[in-house]
Amino acid sequence: MNLNQVTISSADLEKAVEFYTLLGLKLIVDALPRYARFECPDGDATFSIHFNENKQQHNNTFVYFEDGNLEALVFQLKQKGITFISELEHKSWLWAEAHLLDPDGNKIILFKAGENRKNPPWRIN
């Protein structure tokens, strides 16, 4: 199997589309105000957002986007006015991560793991 897409819900799709476009995703389906779909700049996976006017914040959505030049990406996003809830940090599981929230409170984790994403030293074979 291969991941096709991740879909999240939003109470304000226009605001969410603006945010994810700022992150660097390319809008490929514009069915506002009900739905939007993006291509990621790298790989084959897509990301979509559907309208949910009754969206409740439960802090149960985490979306990970990997970038090979994470330091530059974080710097560029800060220059565009994106606010991070945690600065770039090198984690004990051998990933670098920076965390932010989208306009609906979904946690976005920008990371760089390289080979350790699927093949950490403790991988079970």
Side-chain angles (χ1 to χ4, degrees):
M1 287 192 288
N2 186 24
L3 176 65
N4 175 45
Q5 75 183 56
V6 172
T7 301
I8 63 169
S9 60
S10 173
D12 186 342
L13 242 67
E14 289 183 19
K15 195 177 207 180
V17 165
E18 180 182 334
F19 175 83
Y20 285 101
T21 301
L22 263 178
L23 285 187
L25 279 68
K26 179 183 177 188
L27 185 64
I28 60 170
V29 175
D30 181 350
L32 295 175
R34 312 254 358 125
Y35 180 81
R37 189 170 184 185
F38 299 86
E39 280 182 335
C40 294
D42 301 305
D44 293 323
T46 60
F47 179 78
S48 52
I49 309 167
H50 72 92
F51 176 69
N52 180 353
E53 65 187 340
N54 300 316
K55 182 179 179 332
Q56 301 293 313
Q57 281 189 308
H58 296 290
N59 292 326
N60 57 4
T61 300
F62 300 86
V63 181
Y64 287 77
F65 292 110
E66 185 168 21
D67 191 90
N69 195 355
L70 185 59
E71 295 80 7
L73 176 62
V74 169
F75 177 79
Q76 292 166 0
L77 293 175
K78 286 181 177 182
Q79 297 298 309
K80 292 179 180 180
I82 298 290
T83 302
F84 286 79
I85 60 172
S86 77
E87 294 298 322
L88 183 62
E89 181 180 346
H90 294 275
K91 302 293 189 175
S92 62
W93 50 90
L94 305 177
W95 293 20
E97 296 183 1
H99 299 195
L100 56 144
L101 299 175
D102 77 0
D104 287 285
N106 297 303
K107 192 170 197 177
I108 308 300
I109 301 172
L110 304 178
F111 76 102
K112 178 181 177 182
E115 186 64 23
N116 290 315
R117 183 172 70 83
K118 291 179 72 176
N119 297 298
W122 48 85
R123 178 183 166 129
I124 300 169
N125 291 320

